[in-house]
Amino acid sequence: MKFLILLLAVVLLGLNACTDEPTPVLQVGGVVWPGYGPLYLARDLGYYRNKPIHPIEFTSATQVIRAYQNDTVDAVCLTLDEALLLASQSANFRIVMVADFSNGADVIMGRSDMHTMKDLQGRQVGVEDTALGAFFLTRALLESGMQTDDVRIVPMQAQDHERSFLKDDVDAVVTFEPTRGKLLTRGAHILFDSSRIPGEIVDVVLVRTEYLQRYPQVVNDLLRGWQQAQDYIKNSPADALARLARREGVTDEEMRVALHEITLPDREENRKLLSGPEPALRPVLQHLADFMWQKQLIHNPVPVDKLIDSQALSMADQ
C-alpha cells in the first residue's frame, strides 16, 4: 500500500512538472525602421519587464525572413508584401497588428543630375533582394510608364545602400529611412516615394500560429506594450524622439521628419483594419497578392482570408 501511495505521488509530481514548464520567450525580429520604433521603445521604457518578450534587431528584411523560416524567432515585423511572400511558402502565421503605413518614407533615390524615374533608363539601381524591393521598384516603374527591363537591377542588402551609392557603385537605390535622410544631405534626389501609391506599403506584426494558439497572453502583452509606447510618443514626444533617434543613429529632427512620413495606426484604426466580417486590411492584402502573383513575385497563390487575426488585438485592449 505504501508503495502504491509513493508511486502515485511520484506520478503526480511528474504531472505537475509538465504543467509548470516555463513559457518560451517570444523572440520578435525586425529591422531598423521608424515604424517598428514602438517595439524597441516599449523595451527601453520597461513595458516588457518581467515578460517573456525579446525584440531582436536585424540588418535586413532578408535576415528577418530567414530567422523566421529557421525557427529562430516566432514573431516578426515585415512589410505586407514580405508577409505575402512568406505566406506563399508556408502560411503558418497570423497578422496580429498593423504597425504602420509608409507615406513617403520608402523612396527611390538617384544622383543629383536625376529628377524623374525616366532618368533611370539603362542605369544601375541598387535594391534589396526581397519582395518589398521588387514590388516597390516594379510599381514605381509602372506608374512612370516604364518596365523592369528599362533599368539594370543590382541586388544588395539594405545596410549597403548608403555606401554603394556614395561610392558610385550604383546610380540609384531603392531605400528607406534612415538612409533616405542621410542621402538627402549628400545631394541625392528623390525620384519616387511611397506617398504616390498610398496604402500599398504597409508594415505588419505577425506571429507563428502555433505560438499564438499556445501562448496568447504573451502576444497580448507584446501588443499592449507596443500600444503603450505609441501613447508615449504622443504624450512625451521630445523624450520619445530622442530615444528613437539614438537607436537609429540620426538626429532628433531627422527622426521627427521620418515619423511624419509614416502613419502609426492606433488601437481604433487597428480594430477597423483587422476586425469585423470585412476587415479593411483584407482588400489591401488581396490587391497585393494578385499583383505579386501576376508579376511572378510569388509562385503560389495566397489564401489571404486565413492570414488575419483580430482576437489578440482585442484582448490586448482589455
Side-chain angles (χ1 to χ4, degrees):
M1 186 65 178
K2 288 183 179 180
F3 173 77
L4 290 176
I5 293 174
L6 179 61
L7 179 62
L8 179 60
V10 170
V11 171
L12 289 175
L13 284 173
L15 289 175
N16 286 335
C18 291
T19 57
D20 290 339
E21 290 182 0
T23 301
V25 173
L26 180 59
Q27 310 278 6
V28 188
V31 298
V32 176
W33 164 252
Y36 307 152
L39 170 65
Y40 302 98
L41 184 60
R43 176 192 61 189
D44 295 345
L45 293 172
Y47 297 155
Y48 295 142
R49 188 175 295 119
N50 300 323
K51 306 287 186 183
I53 297 170
H54 181 219
I56 304 175
E57 299 179 32
F58 292 89
T59 57
S60 72
T62 302
Q63 291 181 347
V64 175
I65 293 173
R66 188 179 298 122
Y68 182 86
Q69 292 172 327
N70 293 338
D71 296 330
T72 304
V73 298
D74 285 307
V76 288
C77 307
L78 292 173
T79 56
L80 202 57
D81 51 294
E82 289 164 351
L84 285 168
L85 176 65
L86 198 58
S88 72
Q89 300 166 0
S90 177
N92 65 342
F93 64 82
R94 294 293 181 270
I95 295 171
V96 296
M97 192 178 75
V98 174
D100 67 83
F101 290 92
S102 177
N103 189 34
D106 289 274
V107 292
I108 298 176
M109 307 190 76
R111 306 217 162 275
S112 58
D113 61 337
M114 298 179 181
H115 301 281
T116 71
M117 289 292 293
K118 295 288 187 181
D119 293 327
L120 290 179
Q121 188 80 34
R123 310 290 282 271
Q124 292 184 316
V125 181
V127 57
E128 189 174 6
D129 190 18
T130 63
L132 174 61
F135 171 75
F136 188 51
L137 180 58
T138 300
R139 287 290 287 117
L141 290 168
L142 289 177
E143 286 288 311
S144 305
M146 302 171 68
Q147 302 292 328
T148 52
D149 291 341
D150 292 332
V151 300
R152 290 185 288 165
I153 295 175
V154 180
M156 64 176 58
Q157 297 296 310
Q159 67 266 27
D160 297 325
H161 288 178
E162 182 181 4
R163 178 184 57 80
S164 296
F165 185 85
L166 295 178
K167 287 181 61 181
D168 295 333
D169 292 339
V170 293
D171 302 298
V173 287
V174 180
T175 193
F176 45 85
E177 293 290 2
T179 302
R180 172 195 176 279
K182 294 177 180 179
L183 290 184
L184 276 177
T185 64
R186 302 296 295 270
H189 283 171
I190 295 175
L191 309 179
F192 191 92
D193 70 50
S194 51
S195 67
R196 293 175 59 179
I197 48 173
E200 294 192 29
I201 306 298
V202 186
D203 286 282
V204 294
V205 180
L206 56 91
V207 179
R208 199 179 304 276
T209 305
E210 181 181 0
Y211 193 101
L212 178 62
Q213 292 174 344
R214 294 188 64 185
Y215 309 103
Q217 185 56 53
V218 179
V219 180
N220 299 341
D221 290 337
L222 169 69
L223 301 185
R224 188 177 294 113
W226 191 304
Q227 292 167 345
Q228 287 177 303
Q230 283 188 314
D231 291 339
Y232 190 82
I233 293 173
K234 292 178 182 178
N235 299 328
S236 304
D239 185 61
L241 280 174
R243 291 172 181 267
L244 293 172
R246 282 198 300 272
R247 173 179 168 265
E248 298 205 14
V250 298
T251 66
D252 293 8
E253 177 59 19
E254 287 172 332
M255 178 53 61
R256 187 193 65 78
V257 172
L259 289 177
H260 181 71
E261 292 160 353
I262 62 175
T263 300
L264 302 175
D266 59 17
R267 295 171 176 82
E268 184 58 34
E269 290 171 309
N270 254 293
R271 277 194 288 269
K272 293 177 182 177
L273 288 163
L274 300 179
S275 303
E278 186 61 28
L281 185 65
R282 190 202 175 284
V284 179
L285 263 172
Q286 190 65 63
H287 168 71
L288 281 176
D290 292 344
F291 179 88
M292 294 174 71
W293 174 254
Q294 293 166 6
K295 297 300 178 182
Q296 298 184 329
L297 298 176
I298 54 176
H299 301 294
N300 294 296
V302 176
V304 299
D305 290 325
K306 297 181 180 180
L307 297 183
I308 299 176
D309 177 274
S310 61
Q311 291 185 335
L313 186 67
S314 298
M315 293 179 66
D317 287 339
Q318 297 173 3

